[in-house]
Amino acid sequence: MKIFNCETGMKKLVSIGGALLLSGLMLAPMSSLFAVQGMGAKSQEAFLRMRTVTFFDTRFSFTPNNRVKVGDEFTCTGKVMLMPTWPQEIPFSGISFFNFFVPGPQVLRKAIFVNEKYFQFNSVVLEKGGVYEYKMINQARTPGIWPVGPMVSMEEAGPFIGPEEFLTIEGSTGGFTNPVKTLLGNTIDLENYGEGRMIAWTLLTTAIAVVWLVYWCSKPFTRRLGLVAAGRKEDLFSPMDRQVCFLFTIGTIVLVAAAAMITRAQYPITIPIQETKYYVKPLPPEPALIQAEVTDATYDVPGRTLSFHLQVKNIGDKPVVLKEFLTANVRFLNPDVPGNTWNENYPEVNGGPMKVTPSEPINPGETKTLEVSMQSAEWENQRLTMYHESTNRFGGLLFFTDTSGTRQVFAIADQIVIPKFGATIGGGM
Amino acid sequence: MQQVAAEAEARALERKFDIVVLVSMFLAILSGFHIHQMLTAGDWSFWIDWKDRMWWPVVAPIMDITFPAACQAILWTKFKAPIGATFSCAGLFFGQWMNRYWNFWGWAHYPLNFVFPETLLPQAIVLDGVLMITNNFVVTALIGGELWGWLFYPSNWPMIAPYHVPVEYYGQLMSVADLIQYEYIRTSTPEYIRMVETGTMRNFAGGVLGVSAFFSGFCSVIMYFIWWYFGYFFGWTKFIKHSKV
Amino acid sequence: MAQATTQTVSISIPDKSAFSWKNLWIALAIITVFEIAVNVYERTFAFAKGLDYFTPDYQTYWMSILYTELILEPTTLIALCSWLWVTRDRAMENLAPAEELRRYWNLGLFVVVYTVLLYWGASYYTEQDGTWHQTVIRDTDFTPSHIIEFYQSYPIYIIAGVGSMVYAMTRLPQYAKAFSVPYAVLVGSPLMIFPNVGLNEFGHTRWFMEELFVAPLHWGFVMFGWGALAILGTWLQICPRVVELIKQVYYGKPATPPAVVLNDPEKATDPALCEV
């Protein structure tokens, strides 16, 4: 009878498959090992990114060089607005956490302040329509190039992601410490506090378990099936086996009790995990310069142009201009406003110019209908064209300023936009 | 002489099969137990700031007595080997440490004091010992199951006590565990997702842990019974003819 | 004439090389080198190229791996099972005891390889997925950790498990004409973890935006993982037959003929046969 050496055959197949995969891996280009990509916000639907939490006035203290050393602190500041009309499709629980995106603790979060004075530790309860200011203080920890940025996480809804920057952290982690003073008066290093103790107890309890297992598994194992079936108890256990069993059982209980009591004596003052939620009031509303309403909106697909009519009434006492539209971390600046140019410190995406017709300021008491038009490849690059989605309503923030520099942020929360798939429309409707 | 040589080879081969059986059992049980544990009690195991007084000492023992009970059902009744609980828990511990060390720490750079797993080994040895001493799975369920629940927190307190030292940080009271989770950023696991004790349980005379341990012990007893019979199912030596499938 | 239920034959002792660990060491070495390479690749390219699905680099460094896997894995499984089937033993009733014992040894090593790969898939890479998803933002079903965990490590253990079962069914009388319930559960239940990925991805896309590992969405994986306990029943079936054959080959004791085992495999699972 032929003896089939299937084991070798199986191994050959696995070897070939594995070799193919490995060679595929090795042929992959190894250059730009540290050229890091973004945070993955683009996978979220356009309507979610445009109509829920909008980040504005975002600044990172390390721009424009984007370089820090291990141990350096840096800040990220800005504001968020929770849209006053929240999409029905996205759950709104209000329970939120001002968060920071970084792939792992490559930077440490040292502090987050909300509305200047409030230090956020536990999660906060936010309101629809509220504007909140944040200041995040972080510390660089691990060398590399990392995408970083602010975010707000909301329970049930998920992450809302702000603008990102790529931060280069130079240096080495050797010698990095994270000292903290406890209420008991001692200073500890969070990088390795309690680690030696944890490892020692782990090794001790594991060693006892391993000895127990080795003791039993060193006896012939399979034949015990036969001994049990035959009822040969005397061949299954020796008197020493029973003694070992009692020793390990009682001894383990005594060891655990003793270790717990010793630990209690070593750490007489302890507190439980601290968990609560805080209600944070939004910032007071900005002075109202205008009243506005979007009357209609279209998106020209081939021309990649979002256009809308905006009826604006100036209810202030100074002329007002429309400076900017911001949505989903993309900014469109009105070039007709003097000095309104892109700054390299802006972490957002530059969507390009926003054309406003008529471009003259709106005088006090005047009501005008503005035609706002933004032609930009970023509608597609950032995946903000909505006609692929089940809801075709856009949102964003309009920034009006008057001649004294006072600003009003006006939210477009929930505006239907009709796509036009026909010929290119040049600059307006 | 030939007979002696043949017997020696037979013993050696029997021993080789023993190793094959034990190694494959260890790895298979480890795999099943680990995927079960990580998706039912895993978050508490991953992070030091989830190791509270209410959820952790309740969920972990109840979910983790499952595979020990099932393994004991076969390894004790068929092999009279008092290793079912220790065997499965040692495998679980190995699987957990491999990930915490190589991935949480080695890849993502979380410090080990943030991500170390709890140990089940002391209570597993006790569960095995109780079964061997009593030779009765009902008594083991009642006594061993209760002990399983009660021993969990004291078995781990030597490791987690340092992380409950209080700290004042920017005017807030935190435990060291809270501060570690605050600083060492977990992007997709924001603070509100922690399933930890919220508000001191309306306890009597302050015994939060005692209440949790008692509840945990009770549920562990029930789980032991259920999973003992699951063990019987997984030890079933049934064949079904091809024609009947 | 009644069919003989035991068989006494004079058998020459097989060579020790028939029960060598060598094939296992080779398999383990290949697996270890492969898994180390996978881990090195992850550490080099996951944070660097794998955070944003919509970049060209993601397609180059990660989706290409996925497409390679989706081609290589089913091909390997089909090739392995076909080859095992084509080279099956067509006259098992005449199987010599020494040869049957040698095949049980092969099966044992095959099962060890399966459980090693099961460890990598169900234990190592599955908890590693938690490391990834609780650390970065999920932006696709095909995250780097998923490409390795769901679409590489799970299919690889499925190939080994199914392969081992087809080996048993094509070469051992105990498995030739009847399905072993514990063995089917041992292979089939972890196998079902892979289709359960469909539920997981739908849930993460539609229902559940948080990265809670213990969310009920994941409990399908839990349930299918329980099947790994069937290793206990599998060995309870195999051990009595193995010990019976060892006694026959090395001690000249009578044993159940393969023709009987073919038709009544449960007869060979009596633990009393293990009495030495």
Side-chain angles (χ1 to χ4, degrees):
Chain A
M1 185 189 308
K2 190 177 174 185
I3 293 171
F4 309 110
N5 201 341
C6 317
E7 197 63 27
T8 316
M10 190 275 290
K11 279 201 315 300
K12 274 189 190 149
L13 273 163
V14 170
S15 310
I16 293 166
L20 276 173
L21 253 165
L22 266 175
S23 41
L25 295 178
M26 289 193 285
L27 287 172
M30 298 289 279
S31 62
S32 318
L33 292 183
F34 294 108
V36 183
Q37 302 302 311
M39 307 196 297
K42 290 205 284 282
S43 71
Q44 294 183 323
E45 295 102 318
F47 82 87
L48 184 154
R49 283 178 283 148
M50 294 170 115
R51 290 171 52 200
T52 50
V53 176
T54 308
F55 288 78
F56 61 102
D57 291 351
T58 314
R59 291 286 183 278
F60 291 90
S61 64
F62 53 67
T63 58
N65 296 325
N66 288 27
R67 275 177 192 281
V68 295
K69 290 196 198 52
V70 170
D72 287 351
E73 285 192 359
F74 62 91
T75 60
C76 174
T77 56
K79 293 193 177 82
V80 297
M81 179 190 289
L82 277 62
M83 288 302 199
T85 304
W86 192 264
Q88 275 297 108
E89 299 85 346
I90 309 292
F92 183 88
S93 67
I95 297 169
S96 309
F97 188 74
F98 282 86
N99 206 349
F100 195 73
F101 176 92
V102 61
Q106 324 310 341
V107 307
L108 299 184
R109 170 168 37 230
K110 301 309 274 187
I112 302 175
F113 292 94
V114 180
N115 292 353
E116 204 176 337
K117 286 200 197 112
Y118 174 70
F119 173 82
Q120 180 196 255
F121 156 45
N122 292 119
S123 301
V124 293
V125 184
L126 306 179
E127 284 177 20
K128 280 185 211 175
V131 176
Y132 302 86
E133 189 174 8
Y134 61 85
K135 178 178 176 180
M136 301 182 186
I137 304 172
N138 298 314
Q139 184 182 30
R141 176 171 178 260
T142 313
I145 305 175
W146 311 104
V148 297
M151 48 185 287
V152 170
S153 301
M154 185 182 290
E155 196 168 35
E156 292 174 46
F160 299 106
I161 305 162
E164 67 192 24
E165 283 284 358
F166 295 101
L167 174 63
T168 302
I169 300 178
E170 295 166 330
S172 80
T173 40
F176 179 81
T177 59
N178 190 3
V180 149
K181 193 164 179 192
T182 73
L183 278 174
L184 307 183
N186 59 325
T187 300
I188 60 176
D189 179 7
L190 290 185
E191 285 284 312
N192 55 27
Y193 173 63
E195 220 168 83
R197 185 189 179 88
M198 175 270 290
I199 289 172
W201 181 248
T202 296
L203 286 175
L204 174 62
T205 51
T206 306
I208 295 170
V210 167
V211 167
W212 175 257
L213 289 175
V214 166
Y215 181 83
W216 290 105
C217 295
S218 57
K219 299 171 189 293
F221 184 73
T222 313
R223 61 170 62 188
R224 290 178 85 87
L225 270 176
L227 293 174
V228 171
R232 287 163 56 182
K233 289 183 195 152
E234 65 287 351
D235 293 323
L236 283 166
F237 298 112
S238 66
M240 181 163 154
D241 289 343
R242 292 177 219 284
Q243 286 169 0
V244 165
C245 175
F246 269 102
L247 172 69
F248 271 75
T249 309
I250 306 300
T252 303
I253 295 174
V254 167
L255 174 70
V256 165
M261 286 194 295
I262 291 169
T263 303
R264 205 163 136 190
Q266 290 172 327
Y267 295 91
I269 300 174
T270 56
I271 60 170
I273 301 290
Q274 299 293 299
E275 170 61 29
T276 187
K277 308 245 182 310
Y278 298 97
Y279 177 72
V280 182
K281 282 202 177 113
L283 289 174
E286 289 168 338
L289 306 176
I290 53 100
Q291 287 170 344
E293 189 187 344
V294 178
T295 54
D296 53 84
T298 61
Y299 177 73
D300 174 6
V301 175
R304 300 188 292 196
T305 306
L306 177 71
S307 307
F308 53 88
H309 285 117
L310 184 69
Q311 199 170 61
V312 184
K313 181 178 179 183
N314 186 341
I315 58 172
D317 58 4
K318 296 183 185 63
V320 159
V321 287
L322 173 58
K323 263 186 93 168
E324 181 183 333
F325 177 67
L326 185 156
T327 185
N329 302 319
V330 183
R331 294 172 72 171
F332 303 85
L333 305 185
N334 181 355
D336 293 333
V337 175
N340 195 22
T341 51
W342 191 261
N343 186 319
E344 63 175 344
N345 290 319
Y346 292 165
E348 294 89 353
V349 173
N350 185 357
M354 173 175 70
K355 195 172 156 85
V356 180
T357 314
S359 59
E360 295 77 28
I362 306 163
N363 293 314
E366 205 182 347
T367 300
K368 259 187 187 170
T369 298
L370 302 179
E371 229 174 82
V372 181
S373 175
M374 291 158 283
Q375 181 178 37
S376 175
E378 295 305 332
W379 296 119
E380 285 181 0
N381 290 345
Q382 301 300 319
R383 299 185 75 245
L384 293 173
T385 55
M386 276 163 292
Y387 56 89
H388 298 292
E389 298 174 3
S390 59
T391 171
N392 216 36
R393 307 172 91 94
F394 83 97
L397 300 181
L398 291 167
F399 294 81
F400 291 89
T401 46
D402 69 13
T403 47
S404 71
T406 305
R407 182 180 76 174
Q408 181 183 351
V409 180
F410 177 79
I412 303 173
D414 181 16
Q415 176 58 44
I416 295 174
V417 54
I418 303 296
K420 288 174 132 185
F421 300 100
T424 307
I425 297 169
M429 300 184 299
Chain B
M1 273 303 286
Q2 232 182 356
Q3 186 60 24
V4 168
E7 280 181 26
E9 276 188 43
R11 279 213 156 74
L13 183 58
E14 209 191 309
R15 198 66 193 135
K16 279 182 170 178
F17 268 102
D18 278 355
I19 294 170
V20 164
V21 168
L22 284 166
V23 167
S24 60
M25 271 188 188
F26 184 78
L27 290 168
I29 290 165
L30 178 177
S31 307
F33 195 10
H34 195 189
I35 201 170
H36 161 90
Q37 185 271 349
M38 71 170 84
L39 297 171
T40 54
D43 294 295
W44 289 276
S45 180
F46 296 163
W47 311 110
I48 188 63
D49 66 306
W50 280 63
K51 294 178 169 69
D52 69 332
R53 301 183 303 185
M54 187 178 99
W55 286 91
W56 179 55
V58 166
V59 175
I62 294 171
M63 286 295 126
D64 296 346
I65 201 173
T66 50
F67 275 63
C71 290
Q72 282 191 336
I74 299 302
L75 292 176
W76 180 251
T77 58
K78 303 289 183 189
F79 292 87
K80 282 288 184 267
I83 58 171
T86 314
F87 195 70
S88 49
C89 291
L92 173 68
F93 210 40
F94 173 78
Q96 289 173 320
W97 265 104
M98 284 291 281
N99 187 63
R100 311 300 163 83
Y101 185 83
W102 292 109
N103 294 318
F104 276 101
W105 177 77
W107 186 15
H109 308 128
Y110 290 101
L112 273 177
N113 61 11
F114 194 4
V115 297
F116 68 89
E118 65 276 348
T119 179
L120 299 166
L121 293 175
Q123 64 211 76
I125 293 169
V126 170
L127 193 65
D128 278 333
V130 169
L131 181 59
M132 180 169 167
I133 292 167
T134 63
N135 193 21
N136 183 307
F137 86 97
V138 173
V139 176
T140 305
L142 293 170
I143 297 177
E146 278 291 343
L147 279 172
W148 180 270
W150 283 97
L151 282 171
F152 179 76
Y153 206 85
S155 295
N156 288 284
W157 185 240
M159 293 195 289
I160 71 166
Y163 305 100
H164 289 263
V165 165
V167 170
E168 187 201 339
Y169 194 72
Y170 283 95
Q172 302 257 345
L173 177 68
M174 298 186 194
S175 65
V176 172
D178 289 312
L179 184 56
I180 291 175
Q181 74 83 25
Y182 186 74
E183 293 204 359
Y184 291 84
I185 298 175
R186 295 178 299 213
T187 299
S188 284
T189 319
E191 191 276 336
Y192 55 71
I193 210 152
R194 303 191 294 172
M195 290 167 74
V196 293
E197 178 192 345
T198 307
T200 301
M201 295 198 294
R202 193 174 38 179
N203 58 80
F204 306 100
V208 175
L209 269 172
V211 173
S212 298
F214 203 2
F215 179 51
S216 171
F218 167 67
C219 292
S220 297
V221 169
I222 307 287
M223 277 298 237
Y224 187 94
F225 275 114
I226 296 170
W227 276 79
W228 178 271
Y229 286 104
F230 271 26
Y232 279 168
F233 168 72
F234 289 115
W236 196 25
T237 52
K238 178 93 181 130
F239 280 90
I240 299 178
K241 287 214 184 300
H242 289 175
S243 53
K244 294 214 169 111
V245 172
Chain C
M1 184 168 68
Q3 192 175 33
T5 51
T6 61
Q7 192 182 55
T8 308
V9 290
S10 170
I11 295 153
S12 57
I13 309 276
D15 191 61
K16 278 189 203 166
S17 63
F19 307 105
S20 158
W21 291 111
K22 192 177 100 177
N23 287 342
L24 182 64
W25 292 131
I26 294 171
L28 291 182
I30 293 171
I31 291 168
T32 305
V33 166
F34 176 72
E35 300 296 0
I36 289 174
V38 167
N39 275 270
V40 167
Y41 189 87
E42 282 179 315
R43 280 152 177 72
T44 311
F45 296 117
F47 286 146
K49 308 284 184 191
L51 291 175
D52 189 336
Y53 178 78
F54 295 100
T55 55
D57 272 347
Y58 198 93
Q59 303 301 310
T60 307
Y61 287 88
W62 288 103
M63 293 307 285
S64 58
I65 302 277
L66 176 68
Y67 301 139
T68 310
E69 289 164 357
L70 293 178
I71 295 166
L72 274 184
E73 285 152 7
T75 311
T76 307
L77 178 64
I78 292 168
L80 175 65
C81 294
S82 305
W83 182 70
L84 285 170
W85 178 255
V86 160
T87 54
R88 68 189 183 279
D89 186 346
R90 293 159 207 264
M92 263 190 262
E93 58 279 349
N94 300 328
L95 186 58
E99 174 60 16
E100 191 178 345
L101 188 59
R102 197 192 68 84
R103 291 181 188 179
Y104 271 111
W105 176 248
N106 285 345
L107 179 67
L109 297 188
F110 215 144
V111 169
V112 170
V113 167
Y114 170 51
T115 58
V116 167
L117 293 168
L118 193 60
Y119 157 75
W120 280 106
S123 171
Y124 184 85
Y125 287 117
T126 309
E127 202 180 276
Q128 184 194 71
D129 194 47
T131 310
W132 179 263
H133 283 295
Q134 296 195 336
T135 300
V136 302
I137 289 170
R138 179 188 299 256
D139 74 325
T140 170
D141 294 334
F142 303 112
T143 57
S145 59
H146 283 183
I147 287 172
I148 302 300
E149 176 202 0
F150 291 153
Y151 303 106
Q152 184 188 106
S153 72
Y154 290 1
I156 287 178
Y157 77 59
I158 290 171
I159 291 168
V162 172
S164 74
M165 204 162 143
V166 173
Y167 177 87
M169 288 165 70
T170 54
R171 278 135 177 88
L172 289 165
Q174 204 175 16
Y175 296 95
K177 288 190 173 167
F179 291 113
S180 154
V181 169
Y183 204 169
V185 170
L186 176 66
V187 171
S189 191
L191 184 154
M192 284 301 295
I193 289 178
F194 186 47
N196 190 69
V197 169
L199 167 67
N200 185 60
E201 298 312 323
F202 186 77
H204 278 294
T205 304
R206 180 61 190 91
W207 299 315
F208 195 67
M209 298 299 131
E210 305 286 9
E211 298 298 341
L212 196 60
F213 228 46
V214 301
L217 173 66
H218 295 143
W219 290 351
F221 294 121
V222 169
M223 210 180 61
F224 291 123
W226 296 345
L229 280 166
I231 188 91
L232 297 165
T234 305
W235 284 120
L236 284 178
Q237 286 181 331
I238 294 175
C239 288
R241 181 62 180 159
V242 165
V243 178
E244 194 187 23
L245 288 168
I246 289 176
K247 289 190 292 193
Q248 185 182 31
V249 169
Y250 291 91
Y251 298 96
K253 298 234 166 88
T256 316
V260 173
V261 173
L262 263 171
N263 293 312
D264 187 5
E266 275 183 41
K267 203 177 165 67
T269 66
D270 182 359
L273 294 168
C274 282
E275 200 181 349
V276 177

